[in-house]
Amino acid sequence: MPGRLVFIPGFLDNAALWRGVIDRLALPGWESVPVTLHGTGRAEPSRPGATLEAYRDQVLDVLDALDRKSARPVVVVGHSMGAQVAELVAGCRPHSTVGLALITPIPLKGFPLSAEQTAAFDSAARSRDPAGAAAGRKPLLVSDSPDVLDALVRSTLATPPETALEALHAWTSGHPLGSRPSLVTAPTLLITTDDTFASRELVRDAVAARFPHPETAYVPSAGHWPHVEQPAAVAAILTRFVSGITHSDMEAKQ
């Protein structure tokens, strides 16, 4: 039986931003499950990684509910902060995870920001007007498509400021497991772009080094949001990756 792909969004993003990729996947029988992460009220968590774990548990709850109807192997896909959450999800479901795909990932150990970066992200998190939201997105975009920018702005404005500030603290602080080799043993794919934030160098040194044999792929003409800027390219990469998961791997997770 084909499995499920669960799609986890990044900071200020939501499930709707995965639609361009999902619509272009060539994976007959596979079920796509895009999720939106919700605020937890843990802007000041009691311990490092607590908020990321709360986001992880939201995704696990979705998968557990689906499994009660029909258990299937899972490929976990995460973007940016969602990559941190995706790794935690996969690490909690070794019995059913057959693949992990991380797109322009933020390292699980976190991403300390400069004072200037902190001010910019804080402003983006609090922004309630389209111009301010656009200003927070444009520096990390390569695409000049108005439709791409509009989709990202709508996602920003749909995120309550308190939720955004909680998420900002979560992904910059990271999780203690990020300082160790990854617990995930399933095939792992790392997708990079011309992003100047989650750069190819950062992904190589702070993400890839934690996995034993990660596969890598590069999406040209894209910045931090390749699944929105170049959805066809990302869909093709994910289709190849998932299609390459062996039948024996799938059967072992049934």
Side-chain angles (χ1 to χ4, degrees):
M1 175 188 296
R4 293 187 175 100
L5 294 99
V6 58
F7 293 87
I8 306 172
F11 176 60
L12 297 177
D13 295 345
N14 57 32
L17 295 178
W18 292 107
R19 181 49 54 193
V21 170
I22 291 171
D23 288 347
R24 292 169 170 84
L25 291 171
L27 296 167
W30 280 77
E31 179 183 7
S32 292
V33 184
V35 300
T36 295
L37 300 175
H38 300 287
T40 68
R42 297 186 181 183
E44 296 296 332
S46 57
R47 57 184 172 76
T51 305
L52 289 176
E53 290 177 4
Y55 296 156
R56 173 203 67 193
D57 292 346
Q58 290 179 26
V59 180
L60 291 174
D61 286 346
V62 171
L63 292 175
D64 288 344
L66 290 169
D67 279 351
R68 284 194 287 273
K69 299 176 182 178
S70 173
R72 294 191 187 187
V74 174
V75 172
V76 188
V77 183
H79 163 253
S80 192
M81 179 189 78
Q84 296 173 312
V85 180
E87 183 179 343
L88 294 176
V89 169
C92 281
R93 291 178 67 99
H95 59 287
S96 61
T97 298
V98 294
L100 173 66
L102 308 180
I103 302 172
T104 52
I106 298 298
L108 183 56
K109 68 180 180 181
F111 193 122
L113 301 175
S114 67
E116 182 179 0
Q117 288 173 320
T118 298
F121 279 105
D122 185 88
S123 177
R126 297 176 188 275
S127 180
R128 295 295 90 196
D129 71 279
R137 298 288 195 165
K138 283 182 178 179
L140 299 184
L141 278 171
V142 168
S143 170
D144 58 3
S145 165
D147 291 340
V148 167
L149 182 59
D150 179 65
L152 294 170
V153 166
R154 282 188 278 110
S155 180
T156 296
L157 298 179
T159 306
E162 60 273 17
T163 298
L165 292 169
E166 171 190 293
L168 177 60
H169 185 276
W171 66 260
T172 54
S173 300
H175 192 282
L177 286 177
S179 297
R180 312 173 195 171
S182 179
L183 298 176
V184 178
T185 58
T188 299
L189 169 68
L190 307 177
I191 298 179
T192 63
T193 67
D194 295 320
D195 187 12
T196 57
F197 191 67
S199 66
R200 280 178 276 177
E201 293 76 19
L202 177 74
V203 173
R204 177 194 65 207
D205 296 340
V207 181
R210 297 182 48 251
F211 295 90
H213 303 290
E215 179 182 341
T216 60
Y218 165 71
V219 178
S221 303
H224 192 61
W225 297 275
H227 56 304
V228 186
E229 298 175 76
Q230 300 291 343
V234 173
I237 290 169
L238 288 176
T239 295
R240 287 195 298 270
F241 175 65
V242 175
S243 298
I245 295 172
T246 67
H247 182 71
S248 59
D249 287 337
M250 294 286 291
E251 291 222 323
K253 303 293 184 177
Q254 297 282 359

